[in-house]
Amino acid sequence: MYRKILVPLSNAAFGMAAALDAAIHVGRIFGSEVEVLYARPAPEALILVLGKGFAGTMLESALREVQAKIGKDCEAAHERMQRICGQAGSSADDDAVSRPCPQVVWREVEGPADRMTGIAARFADLIMFAKPETGDVTDSVWRSMFDAALFASARPVILMPSLPVPLSASRIMIAWNGTPQATRAVAAALPLLRRAQSVFIGTAGLDEDLQRDAEGLKEYLLVHEVDAQVEHLPKSLRETGSVLLGMASQFEADLLVIGGHGRNRLREWTLGSTTSHVVELATIPVFLVH
């Protein structure tokens, strides 16, 4: 069960509408509390940057302007959140619409957005993210927050497309490769899998061990009252992420469950190539766990 859903935001409020709309939808289904976490940059952290070229009263004036801008951005994001909550109500799931809207809590913290996100995400059952409204998943602030939520919390993350789409999760595809990350993703997604009308286990590659493993997953899901079908695709010259997205499209999936693979490069988490490809190009919600 997802009792607490976290929607992390930065001063730029990336993808708020898509993430919050999806969080409210899931919150209705599971009776969750939705916490919107807004990370305000600390003005003091800008002193070193602003200090170059400024002195004395000029620096003080510049800092006051920065503080005022931060305050205005925060107030604008809060007002936008309230508008989104007021408009919440449309959903592809009639059962969800009939349930009361979840409590939405606004919480402001001061500090680096990625660090604040990683800390808060540890104490949530589900983290709801959306791609930037510009669609640019390479934006450094957004990417640092997303990576912190995925790699620093051990909690599941649902990544929504930049434009709000219904998170019906009625046709779910599991991208299965037998790794611990994929196993954790399936376990974390069980509440949604149980509610789905159709569940599809997709594997890329005709390795016999992987095929047996997928059949084992099917049996495991049956124990949890989830009836899934299995499809094995042969290896392709295309990027594995493209194969998985193509398979999801063929299945008409409205949610893709995948392990969030990563590697540590220069002490910074970076997504593996397959996961990066899915994160960048997916047009449906993606459920990830590292």
Side-chain angles (χ1 to χ4, degrees):
M1 297 293 285
Y2 310 120
R3 293 301 187 189
K4 182 176 180 180
I5 302 173
L6 180 70
V7 181
L9 302 174
S10 73
N11 217 40
F14 295 112
M16 182 196 295
L20 186 53
D21 187 70
I24 290 173
H25 174 66
V26 175
R28 274 184 160 143
I29 295 171
F30 296 103
S32 321
E33 175 187 282
V34 176
E35 179 180 288
V36 180
L37 180 79
Y38 189 88
R40 299 170 54 124
E44 294 78 9
L46 301 175
I47 291 179
L48 291 177
V49 177
L50 294 174
K52 296 179 180 180
F54 290 96
T57 57
M58 291 179 62
L59 178 58
E60 293 177 2
S61 176
L63 282 174
R64 283 196 298 270
E65 290 181 11
V66 169
Q67 289 174 320
K69 176 67 166 58
I70 291 172
K72 288 180 179 179
D73 287 345
C74 182
E75 184 178 349
H78 189 203
E79 290 176 355
R80 188 179 179 198
M81 182 206 77
Q82 291 175 318
R83 288 196 302 271
I84 294 170
C85 291
Q87 296 167 358
S90 61
S91 169
D93 189 333
D94 293 336
D95 178 54
V97 171
S98 66
R99 302 186 187 194
C101 197
Q103 179 184 11
V104 180
V105 178
W106 173 267
R107 185 160 73 93
E108 296 176 27
V109 293
E110 187 175 278
D114 55 348
R115 181 171 180 271
M116 297 298 102
T117 295
I119 292 172
R122 299 169 194 164
F123 309 111
D125 299 310
L126 181 65
I127 302 116
M128 199 69 68
F129 252 91
K131 295 181 184 179
E133 290 165 0
T134 60
D136 182 12
V137 298
T138 63
D139 180 276
S140 60
V141 176
W142 181 89
R143 192 51 180 265
S144 68
M145 292 174 64
F146 176 74
D147 285 359
L150 185 61
F151 294 121
S153 70
R155 298 296 191 179
V157 175
I158 293 183
L159 176 63
M160 300 295 296
S162 54
L163 297 177
V165 297
L167 182 58
S168 58
S170 61
R171 294 180 63 83
I172 301 178
M173 174 179 155
I174 299 170
W176 182 250
N177 60 1
T179 61
Q181 290 89 344
T183 304
R184 294 187 196 106
V186 169
L190 276 174
L192 291 171
L193 292 169
R194 291 193 190 100
R195 297 186 72 260
Q197 296 175 7
S198 302
V199 176
F200 175 74
I201 301 168
T203 66
L206 298 181
D207 180 89
E208 291 185 2
D209 290 338
L210 181 59
Q211 292 184 43
R212 284 193 295 268
D213 205 52
E215 294 297 330
L217 174 60
K218 178 178 178 179
E219 294 176 7
Y220 168 78
L221 290 175
L222 275 175
V223 174
H224 290 273
E225 302 177 346
V226 177
D227 189 7
Q229 58 177 302
V230 180
E231 179 70 27
H232 305 287
L233 288 185
K235 289 184 178 180
S236 170
L237 295 177
R238 291 188 299 157
E239 161 67 45
T240 304
S242 297
V243 174
L244 293 175
L245 291 176
M247 193 184 300
S249 176
Q250 182 179 348
F251 181 62
E252 298 181 345
D254 49 31
L255 179 67
L256 175 63
V257 175
I258 186 171
H261 298 268
R263 56 184 178 272
N264 196 310
R265 178 184 292 171
L266 299 178
R267 298 184 180 180
E268 292 184 0
W269 284 111
T270 58
L271 291 172
S273 59
T274 297
T275 311
S276 288
H277 193 95
V278 169
V279 165
E280 181 178 354
L281 298 180
T283 57
I284 61 173
V286 181
F287 186 107
L288 305 104
V289 179
H290 176 64

